[in-house]
């Protein structure tokens, strides 16, 4: 996906919890990071909170980071005590900039076609599309500051 924003801002939007929580959930849900340590071996523990206050927890474990170019993580659902529901999926995010626009390529790997089908049936594609549109709108406001 291409964003009309410079690479540093887009990278920060994916790696800083105070920015992530402004876009990382499809509306009307909100994202709430409980803690995040963006380093190899670090993790982000967060919830997607529904309008009625229901929390769906997620855990991201960072496995590789090349600043402003790429990071990889294991992404899994979790319970409120940070216990992951494995298997999760492996994410590989690649960032590049050209002429002031930043492209983010996100590749997601599942251990089986069955898990992939379950994730899709749960609304992943629609939710991720809406979430990335939230990011596009947020970057438009942050780029003007």
């Amino acid at each position: 996906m291409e964003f009309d924003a410079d690479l540093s801002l887009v990278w920060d939007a994916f790696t800083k919890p105070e920015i992530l929580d402004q876009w990382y959930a499809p509306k009307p849900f909100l994202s709430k990071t409980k803690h995040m340590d963006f380093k190899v071996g670090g993790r982000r523990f967060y919830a997607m909170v529904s309008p009625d206050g229901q929390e769906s927890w997620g855990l991201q474990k960072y496995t590789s980071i090349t600043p402003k170019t790429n990071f990889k993580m294991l992404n899994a659902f979790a319970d409120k005590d940070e216990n992951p529901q494995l298997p999760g999926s492996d994410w590989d995010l690649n960032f590049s900039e050209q002429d002031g626009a930043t492209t983010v390529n996100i590749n997601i790997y599942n251990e089986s076609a069955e898990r992939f089908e379950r994730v899709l049936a749960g609304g992943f594609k629609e939710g991720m599309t809406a979430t990335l549109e939230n990011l596009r709108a947020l970057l438009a406001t942050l780029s003007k500051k």
Side-chain angles (χ1 to χ4, degrees):
M1 178 164 247
E2 186 173 295
F3 299 99
D4 188 20
D6 70 46
L7 178 63
S8 291
L9 180 59
V10 176
W11 178 263
D12 286 352
F14 277 85
T15 62
K16 295 190 176 202
E18 62 274 14
I19 303 175
L20 261 170
D21 281 345
Q22 295 180 57
W23 67 271
Y24 201 80
K27 294 186 185 331
F29 290 82
L30 298 173
S31 175
K32 177 179 77 173
T33 297
K34 187 168 182 181
H35 61 81
M36 180 173 175
D37 188 12
F38 186 71
K39 67 179 185 183
V40 175
R43 53 207 285 155
R44 175 181 182 229
F45 183 53
Y46 68 101
M48 287 195 189
V49 184
S50 70
D52 64 359
Q54 292 288 325
E55 296 174 330
S56 297
W57 291 95
L59 183 63
Q60 298 171 335
K61 294 182 182 179
Y62 303 106
T63 57
S64 172
I65 299 171
T66 304
K68 299 192 178 168
T69 303
N70 170 274
F71 71 89
K72 296 176 183 176
M73 66 183 177
L74 171 68
N75 193 43
F77 294 110
D79 65 19
K80 65 180 179 49
D81 297 316
E82 211 170 330
N83 298 304
Q85 298 172 6
L86 298 175
S89 51
D90 290 307
W91 291 46
D92 184 357
L93 294 89
N94 292 283
F95 298 75
S96 61
E97 182 179 19
Q98 186 171 357
D99 300 325
T102 300
T103 299
V104 181
N105 288 312
I106 303 171
N107 295 298
I108 302 169
Y109 304 94
N110 290 281
E111 93 294 347
S112 69
E114 292 79 20
R115 182 177 191 284
F116 178 66
E117 292 298 326
R118 282 195 314 273
V119 169
L120 286 180
F124 175 80
K125 183 179 178 184
E126 298 81 3
M128 192 67 188
T129 299
T131 297
L132 290 170
E133 287 305 321
N134 291 346
L135 175 58
R136 183 183 307 285
L138 178 63
L139 289 170
T141 65
L142 294 175
S143 293
K144 293 176 183 172
K145 292 183 178 180

